[in-house]
Amino acid sequence: PSALFSSLYVRKAFAYAFNYPYFLKYQLNNPSYKGVNFGIFTAGILQNGLSVSENVSQLNKSTNGQVPYYSLKNAASYWQMFMDQQAYKLGITNSSNGPLYKGSPIVIPIFVQQSFAAGSAAISTWSTELSTFIPNIQLVPVPLPITEIIGYFIERPIPMPIWIAGWAPENANAYGNIEPFAAPTNGSQIMPADAFLPYWFNNASN
């Protein structure tokens, strides 16, 4: 359902189910290449070393523990809260074979840039982790050119699926890197919460 991720419980369940350590160590990086890193773990969007950046412990302290980390226990707990309190509002029902939407298992497309093998591998692992507490759920990679993915940033009646991509600071100025996320506008590449059109979350036919 198009409104699935309007639930904070769902967003937290999916965030806690992503195996960040495995992705960084074995899918984005390779232990065979000593001293070579293609990606590092950061807290939030500010890379370690930039002014006012915080590590995971600092950010969790300042946000009262709101930084997701890999924990299937937490993920399963948030998903159960969603099923108990909100799922029925979206037409999701439970069955002996797992949650159903319109009589079928939940299938979620995820955009990934073409030839980004690590991204496709991460989606597969994420789907496996989620299926440990959401039986028969499927995350389906949809490889696309980056130009087409960016085209979906434009608001439209059909919401863009989740997409997996890298994030890197563009310069050494912390504010310049965090502004699109912390203070977005309708002209930002990353849209602000109040810019999403109501029919994104109200159209249950998607």
Side-chain angles (χ1 to χ4, degrees):
S2 61
L4 182 63
F5 292 98
S6 62
S7 167
L8 181 58
Y9 291 148
V10 172
R11 297 200 299 274
K12 285 189 172 185
F14 275 65
Y16 277 108
F18 192 92
N19 196 332
Y20 304 94
Y22 185 83
F23 172 68
L24 285 172
K25 186 173 182 178
Y26 295 106
Q27 294 176 324
L28 190 60
N29 293 308
N30 187 327
S32 300
Y33 299 114
K34 305 297 183 182
V36 179
N37 291 316
F38 297 100
I40 60 174
F41 189 88
T42 62
I45 61 169
L46 289 182
Q47 185 174 340
N48 298 337
L50 287 179
S51 61
V52 306
S53 66
E54 296 179 308
N55 60 35
V56 175
S57 296
Q58 291 171 324
L59 197 55
N60 261 322
K61 185 177 180 179
S62 64
T63 62
N64 194 27
Q66 295 302 308
V67 181
Y69 50 89
Y70 176 59
S71 170
L72 289 181
K73 179 180 178 180
N74 287 358
S77 177
Y78 281 116
W79 179 259
Q80 191 59 51
M81 291 179 195
F82 166 72
M83 291 301 298
D84 291 342
Q85 302 174 34
Q86 301 172 340
Y88 72 94
K89 299 177 182 178
L90 303 181
I92 296 176
T93 58
N94 222 338
S95 75
S96 57
N97 294 320
L100 302 176
Y101 176 65
K102 295 185 177 180
S104 300
I106 297 175
V107 178
I108 300 174
I110 300 184
F111 283 4
V112 60
Q113 185 176 344
Q114 285 178 339
S115 303
F116 182 27
S120 296
I123 294 169
S124 176
T125 301
W126 199 12
S127 186
T128 299
E129 303 283 11
L130 286 165
S131 68
T132 63
F133 59 90
I134 311 176
N136 293 316
I137 189 171
Q138 295 180 54
L139 304 188
V140 181
V142 181
L144 291 173
I146 187 61
T147 50
E148 190 168 340
I149 292 176
I150 292 174
Y152 272 85
F153 287 9
I154 301 171
E155 291 181 281
R156 60 186 71 199
I158 301 175
M160 177 183 179
I162 298 173
W163 64 296
I164 185 168
W167 168 256
E170 297 177 353
N171 53 60
N173 179 280
Y175 182 77
N177 285 290
I178 202 171
E179 183 180 19
F181 294 89
T185 67
N186 282 338
S188 297
Q189 179 174 326
I190 308 300
M191 300 298 286
D194 60 2
F196 286 97
L197 303 182
Y199 51 58
W200 278 33
F201 296 132
N202 294 334
N203 187 353
S205 64
N206 292 326

